Amino acid sequence: MDAFVARSLDEIRFWSRIMKEHSFFLRLGFRCEDKQLIQEANEFYSVFEHIEAKAHAFSASTNPQEIRAFNLEVYNAASHIWVFKRKVLGLILTCQLPGANNFPLLVDHISREANYFRNRLSELNNGQLEPLADAIIDENVFFLKIMADHAKFIGHLLDPSERKLVDQAKEFSHDFDQLLWQAQDLSSMRPQSQTQPLLSQFLDQNRVSVASLRDFKKTARDLIEACRIKSIIHPLLADHVYREAERFLAIIDMFESHLDGKRSADLELSAWH
């Protein structure tokens, strides 16, 4: 199995679905009179639906050159939806979409994810498959901010009468803000931050918090689907944020595996000396 092909297809299968759903959520938030924006959102939905289907049609045995070209195609699509999202954010911030139901932070949030996606494709095409110490920190900064945002969105979209769940969402928002600031501190300490024990401790701490938030999201998703809590959260959005927490946990596991492999290699090297 070619690692480049497998990693590329995994990224595209996950993130193309996310981009498709972003298009859907944006469309839901536009006003009836925003016909041009609705049409653009629908077009992006179709683009990423096609990309998602194409990614699933490929296999791990696909020629790497074909995947390299596919990555470039998807990179261009991700760049275009990033531009669209930033345009929408600009319209909201300049009060040109009064009454639209998209939080500015939410639109900024989904634009950051589009930018992350296209950067990841660029890294893959440039041969960067294995995480570096700096990449481990940067990825955690990115995803911790995503998780903190999710907690804030959940708290705002729950009905105010759901006091216990709202309070839980606020607690998660506070906890992930703290973890994010801690990660940003660690980021500013390079190269000292590149010591393996410190990175392992950093990942262990994040895993515990992300797993707890993941479980909260799963409970909220299940309750929303069963119509057992009051909110304006679309069931697909509840599942969407749950899947992103699962993705973060999988990335933490990948980083831990990488560090364990490096630790073993360093021990073997020291034994030879």
Side-chain angles (χ1 to χ4, degrees), residues 162-176:
E162 295 286 1
R163 290 175 175 81
K164 184 175 180 180
L165 289 174
V166 170
D167 285 345
Q168 286 180 279
K170 288 179 179 177
E171 288 172 8
F172 277 117
S173 173
H174 176 268
D175 290 348
F176 276 89

Side-chain angles (χ1 to χ4, degrees), residues 31 76 150 187 204:
R31 305 164 303 175
N76 289 333
H150 285 173
S187 178
D204 285 342

Side-chain angles (χ1 to χ4, degrees), residues 194-212:
Q194 296 182 23
T195 59
Q196 190 166 309
L198 193 56
L199 285 174
S200 294
Q201 179 190 23
F202 173 63
L203 291 174
D204 285 342
Q205 182 179 20
N206 289 347
R207 179 189 286 106
V208 171
S209 296
V210 177
S212 180

Side-chain angles (χ1 to χ4, degrees), residues 207-266:
R207 179 189 286 106
V208 171
S209 296
V210 177
S212 180
L213 178 61
R214 184 270 317 271
D215 293 344
F216 173 73
K217 289 176 174 179
K218 183 178 184 299
T219 299
R221 180 199 65 182
D222 293 346
L223 290 172
I224 289 167
E225 288 178 350
C227 196
R228 292 177 56 192
I229 60 175
K230 300 177 290 297
S231 78
I232 56 172
I233 301 174
H234 193 286
L236 182 60
L237 178 59
D239 185 60
H240 179 99
V241 298
Y242 165 73
R243 277 182 273 117
E244 290 191 357
E246 283 276 87
R247 183 74 175 185
F248 189 13
L249 286 172
I251 288 172
I252 290 174
D253 288 342
M254 180 188 72
F255 286 157
E256 281 284 18
S257 177
H258 173 75
L259 290 177
D260 289 344
K262 187 176 183 301
R263 185 184 300 116
S264 298
D266 288 346

